[in-house]
Amino acid sequence: MRKTAALFVLALAVVLGVAFCAAAEVQLFVDKQTVRVHDPALNTQSILNDFQPKGWRTHNYLALAWNDTASWIYDIRTHQWLSLTGFGAVAGVLSDNYAMVWEPKRVAIFDAKDRRWIVSDFLMDQITTPLIARGMGAAVTLKEFVVFDPVLREWKILNDVYPKQAIIGDNLGVCWNEADAFVYDTTVHQWVEKRDIRPQACIVEDYKVSIYTSDRIFVYDAMKHRWTDQPR
């Protein structure tokens, strides 16, 4: 009997824990003119009036809404709406600390730690793929790889690489084409390249990038700032 009661209490605790976690996440309610966020810490709704949303997204702490003239982000940790005006976002993505929106040839990121939007200060080719992680954001265009450096809080662009694929982690970003691989290392704020290896796939860890070719594995170690390789 005691064992059954103990199991019941444990099961109830798990259910209540899941319900609490779900309730703690940001909740967004949208209509034609209004965006409302339920802030679980304040136990009330924060309302964005007279805004005609074209799109919206939510994540653990952030709510994002955008239209052709502005983007707004709400962070339940700071209980604030913060806007990006004069920017016609076509879509957006979120992680715990970042919100990213983009136009066809510009990209902007909201840094929750710095509580501000940062827009790329250069035009780029047409953006084809957005990338977001807990620690950084990036965008792939038809011929460029664009990375947000979370330390410098600046956008960095690598021109004329015509990326085939790209991937990012919290500290490193990498893209590759038919012949070459290019790594952005936020520990040194530089691009690091590996030419004429014909990459096939890549894995990004905290401070390491592993690039797989048909016969070798090339590894960039950001702690040592050097490449090694071995047979595959």
Side-chain angles (χ1 to χ4, degrees), residues 207-226:
Y207 291 96
K208 185 173 74 172
V209 172
S210 300
I211 300 171
Y212 294 80
T213 71
S214 60
D215 58 351
R216 303 198 70 78
I217 303 173
F218 293 86
V219 176
Y220 175 72
D221 187 333
M223 302 303 292
K224 299 178 181 178
H225 310 299
R226 69 181 185 184

Side-chain angles (χ1 to χ4, degrees), residues 3-14:
K3 184 177 181 180
T4 302
L7 290 174
F8 175 78
V9 171
L10 179 60
L12 182 61
V14 170

Side-chain angles (χ1 to χ4, degrees), residues 163-225:
K164 179 182 176 182
Q165 284 185 274
I167 188 172
I168 64 173
D170 291 340
N171 306 291
L172 302 168
V174 58
C175 77
W176 61 97
N177 55 31
E178 294 292 343
D180 312 313
F182 307 90
V183 177
Y184 187 81
D185 184 347
T186 63
T187 69
V188 291
H189 317 296
Q190 292 180 351
W191 296 100
V192 183
E193 62 185 45
K194 199 68 176 175
R195 297 276 186 174
D196 301 319
I197 61 173
R198 301 189 66 82
Q200 294 183 340
C202 178
I203 295 175
V204 176
E205 301 175 62
D206 281 350
Y207 291 96
K208 185 173 74 172
V209 172
S210 300
I211 300 171
Y212 294 80
T213 71
S214 60
D215 58 351
R216 303 198 70 78
I217 303 173
F218 293 86
V219 176
Y220 175 72
D221 187 333
M223 302 303 292
K224 299 178 181 178
H225 310 299

